[in-house]
Amino acid sequence: MRIVQSVSDARDVVRELRAQGKTIGLVPTMGALHEGHLSLVRAAKASCDAVVVSIFVNPTQFGPNEDFAKYPRTFEADCAALEREGVDVVFAPSTEEMYTAGASTFVDVEGVSGRLDGASRPGHFRGVATVVAKLFNIVGPDRAFFGQKDAAQVAVLKKMVRDLNFPVEIVVCPIVREPDGLAMSSRNRYLSPEERQQARALHHALEEMERLARSGVTAARELIAAGEAVLAREPLVRVDYCRVVDPDTLEDLADVRGGALAAVAAFVGATRLIDNTILGRRD
Ligand code: AMP
């Protein structure tokens, strides 16, 4: 496994792989890897000849009062896990390497970037779209792998790829959960034991919304009220949003009959967690 830190080294190793006729899969991450990340790596391994994983805690997607400085960084353990998975290349640039002094070009996917997490975290998706566009330009992957866990991110990036004609296929992988249902997240390690218990409420709220939708409830208002009621039972949980939206535009839906994304975000203590599920799927 090659570990490269500069843009030019990344380009060189990818060029070598291409010269061998290999297809390239890219898995963008911020490190602190868990089974959710590794599921993306395995999906990439299964459908591409060579896999590049980027590890970069991207400052432009964090707000001024967010956890950029204390975001977990576990580079050695991450590389060991990626080596075990048979990853070909780890691209781990410094902030200065990714954002050369004076960089002033950003990718704004208007509309969708202001919804869900984009509404709660202004500027977040501008940072995400910009860094992913840069990674696409540096690595030039055939396919890029993202988790359904970050459903709003998926909507933003799919639209960016369409709007800007990136020759990349976006592959979305299912949410990987802890045995009790909590969606895996690098931020789960911030939770105290009591918060960790109460964090299950996000999953339970979505399960309740799914149960009602399956039983024939189609009104988004009713489903949201039921989800919020589950979240309200836990004193350490403060809801940021609980919504039912169109999975592509992230606009609110009144009714889930055509299929909908149910998405929740909540602070558990000081830690903001997200989760989601698809409702009303006709399969
Ligand atoms: P992050 O390191 O948090 O930026 O996440 C990197 C990628 O891993 C993103 O595409 C996430 O959606 C994905 N991811 C994070 N957690 C999970 C999970 N529990 N299940 C599936 N994918 C995940």
Side-chain angles (χ1 to χ4, degrees):
M1 187 174 80
R2 299 277 301 274
I3 300 174
V4 295
Q5 286 168 334
S6 73
V7 170
S8 66
D9 285 350
R11 287 197 203 281
D12 286 347
V13 275
V14 171
R15 199 175 296 118
E16 280 171 33
L17 293 166
R18 286 264 180 230
Q20 296 162 24
K22 293 185 170 171
T23 57
I24 310 287
L26 171 67
V27 181
T29 81
M30 299 204 298
L33 301 182
H34 51 64
E35 280 297 314
H37 298 110
L38 298 182
S39 74
L40 306 185
V41 170
R42 288 171 200 144
K45 287 278 297 177
S47 75
C48 302
D49 300 321
V51 175
V52 179
V53 176
S54 61
I55 298 180
F56 180 62
V57 185
N58 174 35
T60 65
Q61 70 189 68
F62 287 79
N65 299 316
E66 293 183 354
D67 56 344
F68 174 69
K70 74 160 189 160
Y71 194 83
R73 288 160 171 88
T74 59
F75 188 67
E76 303 289 310
D78 292 349
C79 287
L82 296 174
E83 177 114 56
R84 282 195 297 275
E85 296 294 332
V87 163
D88 298 85
V89 183
V90 173
F91 175 46
S94 65
T95 300
E96 297 70 33
E97 181 69 11
M98 276 304 263
Y99 294 103
T100 43
S104 62
T105 306
F106 295 90
V107 178
D108 242 317
V109 186
E110 291 183 359
V112 73
S113 285
R115 301 185 189 123
L116 293 188
D117 306 284
S120 312
R121 307 177 66 187
H124 172 65
F125 285 127
R126 182 191 205 233
V128 169
T130 301
V131 82
V132 171
K134 286 164 70 68
L135 289 169
F136 287 176
N137 283 333
I138 294 162
V139 175
D142 299 279
R143 299 198 181 91
F145 297 78
F146 296 91
Q148 174 63 21
K149 158 94 188 323
D150 295 86
Q153 169 170 281
V154 165
V156 168
L157 295 177
K158 279 186 170 170
K159 185 150 199 308
M160 177 186 83
V161 162
R162 235 181 2 257
D163 288 356
L164 295 183
N165 307 96
F166 278 102
V168 182
E169 181 191 343
I170 300 272
V171 181
V172 183
C173 301
I175 301 176
V176 178
R177 299 178 177 282
E178 300 288 353
D180 66 2
L182 177 69
M184 287 195 183
S185 164
S186 305
R187 292 188 168 99
N188 290 349
R189 69 189 71 196
Y190 297 152
L191 302 170
S192 70
E194 207 183 353
E195 289 167 349
R196 171 65 186 77
Q197 282 291 104
Q198 297 194 17
R200 294 177 304 168
L202 280 82
H203 176 56
H204 291 156
L206 293 167
E207 279 187 328
E208 179 62 4
M209 294 168 84
E210 279 171 354
R211 190 186 67 75
L212 287 175
R214 266 199 311 273
S215 77
V217 176
T218 64
R221 229 165 18 146
E222 229 176 291
L223 297 169
I224 291 167
E228 285 177 341
V230 172
L231 291 161
R233 281 192 223 137
E234 301 295 352
L236 299 177
V237 174
R238 181 167 56 83
V239 182
D240 176 1
Y241 64 70
C242 176
R243 305 183 94 96
V244 171
V245 301
D246 179 293
D248 297 318
T249 66
L250 307 183
E251 284 173 310
D252 286 328
L253 291 175
D255 185 289
V256 302
R257 261 172 290 202
L261 175 75
V264 295
F267 287 90
V268 183
T271 304
R272 186 175 179 281
L273 301 178
I274 58 173
D275 200 349
N276 68 81
T277 190
I278 297 289
L279 298 177
R281 218 169 10 202
R282 286 167 295 186
D283 56 7

